[in-house]
Amino acid sequence: MTRAAFAAGLLSLAGLAGAAPYRSTDGSATFTHTVRFIPVRGSISGVTASVDLDPANLAATTGSVTVPVVNLKTGIGLRDTHAKGAEALNTAKFPNATFKLEKLTGGKLVEGQTLSTTASGTLTVKGTAKSISVPVKATLQGGKVNVSAQFKFNPFDFDVRYPGSSDSVTVDVAFVLAGS
């Protein structure tokens, strides 16, 4: 076996040569949205992600993130029920919001360092899909990738019409990707 073949084999075993599947099963999302001049904060548990990731070549990354909006909690049960209702998120018909990653700006993940990049893709909320770009921070630690993103969107663009709501929602999403 040549030295180059041995090195390529080691890189492949380390998950650094080519894209490899990474998964997350227990991420979270938080949000802030103003309703009738009152800031409403909430959380959503159970965020999942499935990503084909090459830490040495982020531009080759593809995947998706699923946010189960049916798990939305604001601390007030009646408000949660209204937010999940047909005029707002309609979680009975659309239990999840999704982000399909189509492009990640280049660069590479280096153990212990945080990389700021931009994820471009399609956000689907309440059955309506729109192209967006989202700033992302990723840190490779011990073979796992800690991912966080914060972005804003207009809920009216996705036909989310909660009475008295503003035209801006701020969303924070965080999850840890592990190789599978």
Side-chain angles (χ1 to χ4, degrees), residues 28-151:
S28 63
T30 59
F31 61 90
T32 304
H33 183 65
T34 302
V35 179
R36 293 194 174 97
F37 306 107
I38 298 170
V40 175
R41 290 174 176 75
S43 63
I44 301 171
S45 62
V47 172
T48 61
S50 177
V51 179
D52 288 326
L53 171 71
D54 179 353
N57 179 15
L58 291 182
T61 303
T62 59
S64 63
V65 178
T66 301
V67 178
V69 292
V70 70
N71 294 346
L72 175 144
K73 295 196 184 317
T74 65
I76 298 176
L78 184 57
R79 181 170 53 203
D80 296 351
T81 299
H82 289 156
K84 295 175 188 180
E87 284 194 25
L89 290 167
N90 195 4
T91 60
K93 186 173 180 182
F94 305 103
N96 298 310
T98 59
F99 176 74
K100 181 180 178 201
L101 175 63
E102 295 160 0
K103 181 182 176 190
L104 195 60
T105 54
K108 65 181 182 176
L109 292 173
V110 176
E111 182 72 25
Q113 294 180 5
T114 299
L115 175 72
S116 294
T117 185
T118 302
S120 299
T122 304
L123 176 64
T124 303
V125 178
K126 198 179 173 184
T128 301
K130 301 278 183 184
S131 294
I132 66 167
S133 291
V134 177
V136 174
K137 290 185 179 184
T139 306
L140 178 64
Q141 286 189 301
K144 295 182 179 182
V145 183
N146 296 308
V147 179
S148 64
Q150 182 183 67
F151 63 100

Side-chain angles (χ1 to χ4, degrees), residues 5-32:
F6 180 73
L10 283 177
L11 288 174
S12 179
L13 287 173
L16 297 176
Y22 282 75
R23 306 284 178 261
S24 176
T25 58
D26 194 29
S28 63
T30 59
F31 61 90
T32 304

